[in-house]
Amino acid sequence: MSTKVCVTGSSGRLGPHVVAELAAHGYDVLAVDVAPAPPAVTDLDVATVRADLTDAAQAVDVLAGCDAVVHLANIPAPGLRPDGVTFTTNVTMNHAVFAAARTHGLRRVVWASSETTLGLPFVDPPWYAPVDEAHFPRAESTYALSKVVTEQVAATYARWTGVAHVGLRFSNVLGRDDYRRLFPAAWADPHARKWNLWSYIDARDAASACRLALEARDEQLGAGASAGAPNLVIAAADTCMTRPSAELLAEVFPGVELRRPVEGTTSLFAVDAARDLLGWEPAHTWRDTLEA
Ligand SMILES: NC(=O)c1ccc[n+]([C@@H]2O[C@H](COP(=O)([O-])OP(=O)(O)OC[C@H]3O[C@@H](n4cnc5c(N)ncnc54)[C@H](O)[C@@H]3O)[C@@H](O)[C@H]2O)c1
């Protein structure tokens, strides 16, 4: 019998990639979103349900019969809605989903945290680079604060249930269509995308991180304070820029400590923890699209 996984936020930017990744790997996927499913989801052989997950009863309803959840639904950035709405909507929804997962005894919770918990936008310089999991908590928006709070909620539910809750601190999720539109324009201006240290994550690699977070054995998921509820940086291996990362950092954020050598255009975010705990590696770069 295949594992039944609920993917929330399945009609958004990242959701269809996660649905496709899980369906391709034999999972029985239930795609849940308040918005209608797009063709990228309806073209797949997966069940879809419309639900508002800020409503605890609807969250309990949709998770019935599932083995695990990949919870992506949220207001996905600052500035889209009034600050208070972003905070209360996300925290309410995330709590409802974690509580529903507990009600039904789901065996794994994977959810979308964010790189914004680590200090984005970098108006002020990062404390050090490469930025890693310990560059936390540094919320600069109510959106980021909603994710910081949710990491604590996840840790508490992991402790109450003994079920691992894996938070993925995604970088800016982009797809092949985004690279040509966004990146060449940034090459001449090192300040244009300094807000996240020129980072990004290809949506296909974000999706593989979700799958591997479902598949990791409990023993893989860390010890110590984060046991059962690790929150992992998920970023591409390179920056969006053509200039060397160390040179960019020195020019835009002079004096920031570089804690290890960063060769060429290597990312200024460290993904060692995701590699160690999940066996995840980013496989895609914008260079494959723009240099093809
Ligand atoms: N896009 C990025 O660059 C990025 C970066 C870091 C983290 N994230 C996080 O990843 C997740 C997915 O991001 P995305 O870019 O795909 O966002 P998105 O807005 O494209 O997709 C989110 C989906 O959630 C759904 N949704 C919102 N409120 C809902 C509710 N009450 N009930 C049910 N569904 C609801 C929306 O309809 C939408 O389809 C989010 O949690 C976001 O915070 C995104």
Side-chain angles (χ1 to χ4, degrees):
M1 200 177 72
S2 66
T3 304
K4 183 170 178 181
V5 181
C6 176
V7 178
T8 77
S10 52
S11 302
R13 168 185 289 268
L14 174 56
H17 292 274
V18 175
V19 172
E21 168 84 7
L22 296 183
H25 284 80
Y27 288 90
D28 176 10
V29 179
L30 173 64
V32 175
D33 203 294
V34 75
V41 170
T42 53
D43 288 351
L44 300 167
D45 184 22
V46 302
T48 62
V49 174
R50 302 270 299 274
D52 181 346
L53 296 167
T54 58
D55 178 346
Q58 293 186 47
V60 169
D61 200 316
V62 297
L63 287 189
C66 293
D67 300 298
V69 61
V70 178
H71 173 48
L72 307 173
N74 258 191
I75 296 171
L80 300 174
R81 303 287 299 278
D83 284 351
V85 173
T86 301
F87 181 82
T88 54
T89 301
N90 285 355
V91 173
T92 301
M93 187 175 351
N94 298 339
H95 181 269
V97 170
F98 297 166
R102 182 191 195 190
T103 298
H104 292 299
L106 269 58
R107 298 198 301 268
R108 178 64 50 84
V109 174
V110 176
W111 66 280
S113 185
S114 165
E115 65 178 351
T116 59
T117 60
L118 306 173
L120 276 64
F122 286 114
V123 176
D124 294 326
W127 295 325
Y128 59 83
V131 168
D132 59 10
E133 282 74 12
H135 200 280
F136 177 93
R138 198 171 130 173
E140 304 291 355
S141 65
T142 57
Y143 166 74
L145 190 57
S146 77
K147 299 292 194 180
V148 168
V149 168
T150 300
E151 291 193 8
Q152 185 61 56
V153 177
T156 303
Y157 271 85
R159 183 166 58 78
W160 286 347
T161 58
V163 170
H165 286 52
V166 183
L168 299 174
R169 291 176 179 164
F170 292 121
S171 187
N172 189 193
V173 179
L174 298 176
R176 276 176 291 190
D177 296 342
D178 299 310
Y179 297 140
R180 197 173 305 280
R181 181 173 59 82
L182 295 175
F183 289 176
W187 293 340
D189 178 6
H191 289 264
R193 292 182 68 86
K194 71 174 185 181
W195 53 272
N196 78 341
L197 301 181
W198 310 280
S199 178
Y200 70 104
I201 181 68
D202 189 285
R204 294 164 291 178
D205 285 334
S208 70
C210 291
R211 178 176 60 79
L212 290 169
L214 286 173
E215 294 173 354
R217 286 175 287 104
D218 284 344
E219 313 83 76
Q220 278 174 255
L221 292 176
S226 68
N231 296 296
L232 307 172
V233 174
I234 301 293
D238 57 354
T239 70
C240 68
M241 300 294 273
T242 52
R243 290 175 54 191
S245 307
E247 185 185 303
L248 279 168
L249 188 73
E251 178 181 325
V252 176
F253 296 113
V256 170
E257 177 196 1
L258 204 48
R259 288 193 168 173
R260 68 185 184 199
V262 174
E263 300 295 329
T265 55
T266 297
S267 177
L268 290 165
F269 280 83
V271 298
D272 306 56
R275 183 182 297 121
D276 291 349
L277 271 59
L278 308 182
W280 174 82
E281 287 281 355
H284 297 284
T285 162
W286 62 268
R287 289 174 168 80
D288 295 339
T289 302
L290 293 195
E291 292 174 0

